[in-house]
Amino acid sequence: MIGRPSLLVLTAASAALAGVANAVGMAGADAPVPPSRLGVAIAEDGNARDKAATRRGRTLDLREQAVRAAEMRLKATADAAATPPASAANAAPVPDQFDELARIYQAMKPAAAALVMEQLELDVQMRVAQRMRERSTAMIMAAMTPKGAAALTMALARRQAARPAKTTAAAATGGASPALPRTR
């Protein structure tokens, strides 16, 4: 008759069984675990966010490139306007580039135009603003920072204050230019 197994035999059998189970578990660990629905949803959401961030980054890069190109064009325009032509007799009349810039800024949304316009030199801002319609200038200045709007306002006011002085000088000479004789 077989008696009850001893505790030592039971412990050895359970250790052997645990070793076999452990080996089976390690062999199956290399097999891919099918993802759950929650895992798939999280991965898709992460991918969508990555794609959206990439698109936003590209958009910002394009905007930055456009602003740099506009700054370079404006600087070239300002440099060309600041340098006098080599000979005034041979120079053909060039349409005022500030008129073209004024039309461009008037066509833009005021908030976008204000952002770009504040980056320009004050002299360029003033020349462009003088050639714009008053309503467009007002809407752009309203979208500017208070400091930028105040600086442009002061520059425009100084320019307007200088003009009446010229008109009074012309009125004192009778409105005639000094090169032309006055006829009665």
Side-chain angles (χ1 to χ4, degrees):
M1 247 185 28
I2 300 181
R4 275 180 37 183
S6 71
L7 185 59
L8 182 63
V9 173
L10 284 176
T11 306
S14 67
L17 187 59
V20 169
N22 213 3
V24 168
M26 294 200 51
D30 293 338
V33 177
S36 65
R37 286 187 295 179
L38 179 61
V40 169
I42 290 172
E44 287 175 356
D45 187 44
N47 289 339
R49 286 184 184 181
D50 289 345
K51 288 179 183 177
T54 303
R55 275 192 307 257
R56 283 192 304 269
R58 273 191 243 132
T59 302
L60 289 175
D61 288 342
L62 289 173
R63 285 182 183 175
E64 186 177 330
Q65 289 174 1
V67 167
R68 273 194 237 126
E71 286 175 350
M72 288 174 35
R73 282 192 306 266
L74 288 173
K75 186 174 181 179
T77 302
D79 289 345
T83 56
S87 74
N90 294 337
V94 177
D96 194 3
Q97 294 161 343
F98 291 106
D99 288 335
E100 183 178 338
L101 289 173
R103 282 193 307 265
I104 290 171
Y105 280 110
Q106 286 179 142
M108 293 172 70
K109 291 184 179 179
L115 283 174
V116 177
M117 200 160 177
E118 280 193 276
Q119 304 301 316
L120 304 176
E121 293 179 9
L122 188 59
D123 184 52
V124 176
Q125 286 182 25
M126 183 182 63
R127 288 180 186 218
V128 170
Q130 285 176 328
R131 287 161 175 82
M132 293 173 65
R133 291 186 303 266
E134 289 179 4
R135 177 150 174 80
S136 298
T137 305
M139 290 179 5
I140 290 173
M141 287 177 69
M144 293 173 98
T145 63
K147 185 177 179 181
L152 180 57
T153 302
M154 291 303 295
L156 289 171
R158 280 192 293 271
R159 180 74 170 211
Q160 293 297 332
R163 282 190 180 167
K166 291 178 184 177
T167 334
T168 10
T173 60
S177 70
L180 299 173
R182 243 178 118 188
T183 58
R184 292 186 195 238

